Amino acid sequence: MKIKLTSFLLFFLTSLLSWGQTPPKPNIILIYTDDLGYGDLSSYGATKIKTPNIDRIAREGLRFTNAHATSATCTPSRYSLLTGEYAWRKPGTGIAAGNASLIIDPQQLTLPDVLQKANYKTAVVGKWHLGLGPESGPDWNGEIKPGPLELGFNYAYILPATADRVPCVYVENHRIVNLNPKDPIQVSYTDPIGKEPTGKDNPELLKLKPSHGHNQAIVNGVSRIGYMAGGKAAQWIDEDMADVLTKKAVGFITENKAAPFFLYFATHDIHVPRVPHSRFVGKSGLGLRGDALLQLDWSTGEILKILDELNLTQNTLVIFTSDNGPVLDDGYVDEAVEKLNNHQPAGPLRGGKYSAFEAGTRVPLLVRWPGQVQPGVSEALVSQVDFLKSFAALVGQPVTEEQAPDSFNQLDALLGKNKLGRKYLIEQSLNNTLCLIQGNWKYIEPSDGPKINKNTQTELGNDPTPQLYNLQPDIGEKKNLAATNPAKLKELATLLNLIKRK
Ligand code: NG6
Ligand code: CA
């Protein structure tokens, strides 16, 4: 009788526990790297550098060969990623200055909004570069808002823009970290402030010299874009940045291990200035760019490690990708060109960061979700603009037609259940030249923009006449078929115009 009663009680209790329970939602970690190219990882064919931690995601997950950021620069790619709208639809979404106001309307639905509504704890750690504060600009010495917290993040620990722009401080939620009110911070993008030294006038103070631009305020021996003064105790140390950000990311995972969480971990690596920690300096043999890549691989490894330690690996969807393609000399004398050693940051692709050619937006994409995503390689055409609707579908959140207008639910493609992905997508270059990919075909609209970015020596893909490539035999976009295939050219040009007007 006693046994019967206990087993009945046990049955009753377990039924009570499972009743009403929905299947567990996976945690989602999006590792969003900066300026990492299609050919930069050993899992994507690099032979001059090894990225074992990142390669582990590739081995245990799905490696995409035709995945795209929406733009060949940072701000518009991040805008599309978070809003599900192509950035070229909205003026003011080009590369943002470090004192720009927030470019996403807090009323707009965002990826973190969607996940927050599904009871996720959401965080952004790392590079923001979407502006902060009201139209008049951020109040650096007060409450800095609106910002990530007004866009659906529960927690934010960010660099306001990029590390080559002032202010060189971390912002945690609404405030600058370690800001001493007795030493207020001043920021200007127009005029020098007081007698502060600059890279232009005081090159003797620099440990890393600029090659183009980047010759204004000096912080930690590196000159930047923009002027700043004050806030000395709050200034970051570039060498420690990956450690600081990785620690915050790991901390967020640890604190939220019981909840479903979404972590948008936007690394500064491998953007300029490349000032990795001394334990990575000289280790890649490819100069500071390669060393920063090893540091990025380390950060990624730390994320995977904490998931293992907390037993979260199985129930966490890890996505690893980049905001745009690769660049060597992006403004500092860091020997990225001289020490390249035949490494091919763009792999077989033409162009690079800023470019309308494939290397501008076709980037590494890895998706790991043990038990749910079959490891392998996917050739599906996918875009980061689809993350919003795809993750909304994953967590069962409705999104209306007007919200996230360019985002499609491509969850099946991202999880490897659909081999084709999108029918078409649009790419945007630095000077807003648009391209359309449809199947194997790629159309680049005519543009009178420059052919070469002289500073970075990147082919920009601009041409006053239309370009048409068949990426199947010609992934390097060498043979323009516009003249020989006018029907295809017209079809793609018409479709691009239709989508533009949508
Ligand atoms: C460019 C900067 C470049 C980089 C880029 C933004 C100069 C001369 N060049 O204007 O160094 O900061 O903007 O990069 O200032 S991104 O990855 O954030 O889009
Ligand atoms: Ca970038």
Side-chain angles (χ1 to χ4, degrees):
M1 181 62 193
K2 208 173 165 192
I3 295 177
K4 261 195 175 162
L5 193 71
T6 358
S7 49
F8 172 76
L9 260 177
L10 214 69
F11 174 76
F12 179 74
L13 277 175
T14 41
S15 324
L16 201 73
L17 277 175
S18 58
W19 183 71
Q21 226 177 38
T22 42
K25 289 173 181 157
N27 306 306
I28 302 175
I29 298 180
L30 170 56
I31 304 175
Y32 206 55
T33 66
D34 204 351
D35 298 358
L36 183 75
Y38 192 75
D40 270 327
L41 304 173
S42 31
S43 38
Y44 275 82
T47 55
K48 305 283 179 181
I49 191 152
K50 290 260 167 299
T51 49
N53 290 300
I54 303 169
D55 295 351
R56 178 184 163 196
I57 312 180
R59 200 171 58 244
E60 297 174 357
L62 202 52
R63 182 172 72 83
F64 288 81
T65 57
N66 200 3
H68 296 254
T70 62
S71 172
T73 58
C74 165
T75 302
S77 285
R78 283 160 210 254
Y79 177 87
S80 305
L81 171 81
L82 292 186
T83 64
E85 178 182 50
Y86 284 130
W88 44 263
R89 293 202 194 277
K90 183 164 166 171
T93 53
I95 300 173
N99 62 350
S101 56
L102 182 62
I103 64 167
I104 301 177
D105 179 351
Q107 300 305 318
Q108 213 169 333
L109 184 78
T110 64
L111 176 58
D113 276 336
V114 168
L115 296 167
Q116 211 175 41
K117 281 192 205 154
N119 289 322
Y120 276 66
K121 282 279 177 298
T122 57
V124 50
V125 173
K127 171 167 165 172
W128 181 241
H129 211 186
L130 292 163
L132 289 167
E135 239 169 84
S136 51
D139 174 7
W140 296 115
N141 296 295
E143 277 213 302
I144 302 166
K145 65 180 197 183
L149 298 199
E150 286 65 40
L151 296 178
F153 287 107
N154 294 106
Y155 177 72
Y157 194 97
I158 57 172
L159 337 179
T162 77
D164 64 357
R165 269 149 232 251
V166 301
C168 301
V169 295
Y170 299 112
V171 174
E172 185 169 33
N173 297 326
H174 288 144
R175 298 228 170 233
I176 288 181
V177 179
N178 283 337
L179 182 64
N180 178 353
K182 294 200 186 106
D183 182 25
I185 194 165
Q186 279 173 276
V187 173
S188 162
Y189 271 76
T190 47
D191 305 300
I193 302 170
K195 292 204 161 37
E196 289 291 321
T198 61
K200 183 163 171 273
D201 295 334
N202 307 85
E204 74 285 357
L205 299 178
L206 299 176
K207 61 183 171 196
L208 181 66
K209 294 198 173 20
S211 56
H212 52 264
H214 305 95
N215 62 359
Q216 299 173 339
I218 300 177
V219 175
N220 189 33
V222 180
S223 50
R224 324 267 168 165
I225 309 173
Y227 302 97
M228 79 181 266
K232 285 274 187 284
Q235 292 176 1
W236 67 49
I237 296 164
D238 301 77
E239 289 83 343
D240 296 339
M241 188 174 282
D243 285 349
V244 168
L245 298 178
T246 305
K247 197 167 162 212
K248 289 288 163 193
V250 167
F252 175 78
I253 295 171
T254 310
E255 276 161 35
N256 292 283
K257 60 177 189 241
F261 62 79
F262 168 55
L263 170 64
Y264 170 42
F265 181 38
T267 70
H268 157 64
D269 288 318
I270 54 173
H271 197 281
V272 298
R274 299 167 185 132
V275 190
H277 192 272
S278 60
R279 64 188 191 277
F280 300 105
V281 174
K283 294 290 153 60
S284 70
L286 303 184
L288 291 169
R289 184 176 185 276
D291 299 342
L293 184 42
L294 294 185
Q295 181 167 271
L296 171 69
D297 189 65
W298 169 81
S299 294
T300 306
E302 292 301 293
I303 302 289
L304 301 181
K305 194 159 94 191
I306 192 69
L307 291 177
D308 288 341
E309 280 171 20
L310 297 175
N311 232 337
L312 294 175
T313 300
Q314 202 68 16
N315 195 37
T316 302
L317 175 57
V318 175
I319 299 131
F320 178 99
T321 190
S322 175
D323 68 338
N324 54 250
V327 57
L328 295 174
D329 178 353
D330 205 16
Y332 290 94
V333 185
D334 60 9
E335 298 185 306
V337 176
E338 294 80 350
K339 295 203 165 152
L340 191 59
N341 190 25
N342 291 324
H343 169 61
Q344 290 177 313
L349 309 179
R350 188 169 179 183
K353 177 176 182 178
Y354 308 116
S355 179
F357 287 132
E358 279 302 275
T361 55
R362 193 189 290 221
V363 287
L365 170 66
L366 306 170
V367 175
R368 184 187 81 169
W369 187 9
Q372 304 287 333
V373 170
Q374 194 77 30
V377 178
S378 173
E379 294 176 3
L381 179 65
V382 292
S383 168
Q384 293 167 8
V385 79
D386 294 332
F387 287 1
L388 192 151
K389 284 224 177 105
S390 304
F391 297 153
L394 176 70
V395 302
Q397 282 294 309
V399 181
T400 66
E401 193 57 33
E402 299 81 62
Q403 294 169 322
D406 297 303
S407 188
F408 297 155
N409 173 7
Q410 288 289 333
L411 185 63
D412 282 351
L414 290 170
L415 300 184
K417 292 172 189 151
N418 171 321
K419 305 268 177 263
L420 292 174
R422 283 181 154 249
K423 289 209 171 61
Y424 56 81
L425 58 72
I426 294 184
E427 304 174 345
Q428 173 191 12
S429 78
L430 169 70
N431 65 305
N432 292 327
T433 303
L434 299 186
C435 321
L436 178 85
I437 295 197
Q438 188 197 44
N440 291 330
W441 292 97
K442 171 161 172 181
Y443 165 67
I444 307 180
E445 68 179 0
S447 160
D448 44 24
K451 291 209 166 178
I452 302 263
N453 181 335
K454 290 223 174 71
N455 285 332
T456 60
Q457 286 298 313
T458 313
E459 284 189 293
L460 292 173
N462 296 317
D463 199 285
T465 63
Q467 296 169 74
L468 179 74
Y469 298 99
N470 186 341
L471 299 174
Q472 188 50 41
D474 184 23
I475 202 175
E477 294 164 286
K478 290 281 186 256
K479 198 164 177 217
N480 184 0
L481 302 173
T484 50
N485 202 337
K488 204 35 132 187
L489 182 71
K490 189 160 173 226
E491 185 191 328
L492 266 63
T494 310
L495 179 58
L496 177 60
N497 280 328
L498 245 163
I499 302 165
K500 272 197 206 175
R501 283 200 302 268
K502 189 177 121 179

